[in-house]
Amino acid sequence: MTHPPAAGEAPIDLLDFTRPAFRRDPYPTYRTLREHTPIARIDRGPIRFSILTRHADVVAVLRDPRMSVDRPFQPKPIAGQDDVDPATLHPLARALRALSRVMLFRDPPDHTRLRGLVNKAFTPRMVESLRPRIQGLVDALLARPLADGGCDLVHDFAEPLPILVIAELLGLPASDRADLKRWSDQLAVMLDGSIAAQHIGGAVQSAVAVIEYLRVHLEAKRAHPQDDLITAMLAAQERDEHLTDDEILGTALIVMGAGHETTTNLIGNGALALLRHPAELARLRAQPGLIETAVDEFLRFDSPVQATSRVPTQDVELFGERFEKGREIALLLGAANHDPAVFPAPERLDLARRDNRHVSFGFGIHFCLGAVLARLEGERAIGSLVARAEKLSLAVPDESLAWRPGWLLRGLTSLPVRF
Ligand code: HEM
């Protein structure tokens, strides 16, 4: 039997991720890539990168210490920068300084130190202590739709919940929710490199506004400590003089940027998966205890984050292929999550799936910091929805559903349902 070559140029139309058919359902394209060109190379003038779609390959790159997250376009820390008083800097320079400290964009040893400090403040115990508050928010958000007999599940439920939870976590006033949502949406644009360049200006403006806003709260909490993540990071700073204000601000910023739209999409995509699989919906209703494995299956089945990337810091040989230093490697998490080598019957939604080794939260040292919180929010949100909305059904034809712009973060713009 002959095998197709693992590496090669993928057909151009396959790689057009803006096609409406791809936006509706990217998984057939991923399958073709995985089966025929699992290591696809793109060489179009200055645009040169590789695309990996097999689970084993994606994991191998994410765990490889020769792979960096320090991509060329990201703000970089400058030696001696910390000695400059932030008050003397232009707001844009202040924002870029904090952005250059975001852990998702740093390699070891900076990443190790930053993540270690946040890990001490953002513990599973702290997340667990949020459980009653999250349930209270879910109940409050469901009250009106239950009375009305339906709602737009994205707009009325999946969007507001994560932003209210993040406000609670960081100790920011819930009354600032509209600003926090606008800023988080814009920050997500910055994380979603697939969005057109014309939107980046708005994202940078938002980064400036949100850093100024967070700076005010940081000073207020330094004067009057509260019971929240920013205060816990300030306490860590007192114990460890290496944690700078910019690093605290960068961490608060990434929590806002990475924890909002992703969780919205987990709830929205998960609810849609149930609506499209009535037998699984009935199964969950009959066995509410399935919710824990169900949330991981929603994450695998239609992943909120479809891809990430890494850059080799040296020429690297992997899977019999050579990856050049500096040439970006796109890792299609959504494709890896449907790899039949790891997931039996990958196109089947199985809420009781065992040994679900999905990579929806990444893998290795940058594994999602908020995974425990995201799972808890997903569990409470979808579990409560299924328990209370006894006749949950789609209120519009399936073909009319629209997906958000951008491709790295996958989620619906709206999901009208009847209860
Ligand atoms: C369903 C929801 C979520 C999904 C699917 C998700 C997905 C991911 C993925 C794939 C990564 C790794 C990216 C990479 O390696 O390049 C990541 C990292 C991260 N996530 Fe999440 N995330 C979610 C929710 C959250 C929440 C709620 C928070 C915070 C409260 C959060 C904070 C972070 C942070 C800070 C990082 C960077 C970790 C590091 O660099 O060490 N995420 N997330």
Side-chain angles (χ1 to χ4, degrees), residues 62 69 71 103-106 111 115 122 166 169 251 254-256 258-260 262-263 266 299 303-305 307-310 333 359-363 365-371 373-375 377:
L62 287 175
V69 289
R71 302 165 190 99
M103 77 176 81
L104 187 53
F105 306 151
R106 308 298 316 142
H111 174 266
R115 174 120 186 182
F122 191 37
I166 287 167
L169 178 70
T251 303
I254 187 68
V255 163
M256 280 178 67
H260 171 220
T262 48
T263 313
L266 161 61
L299 285 161
S303 314
V305 180
T308 183
S309 72
R310 293 293 186 266
L333 307 175
V359 284
S360 299
F361 288 127
F363 191 89
I365 61 169
H366 292 277
F367 181 82
C368 179
L369 179 80
L373 178 61
R375 282 198 174 101
E377 286 183 62

Side-chain angles (χ1 to χ4, degrees), residues 22-43:
F22 177 85
R23 305 308 292 278
R24 262 195 313 280
D25 182 5
Y27 300 101
T29 303
Y30 292 160
R31 180 177 174 173
T32 308
L33 278 173
R34 206 177 41 240
E35 287 178 356
H36 299 286
T37 334
I39 304 170
R41 291 183 186 276
I42 317 298
D43 275 295

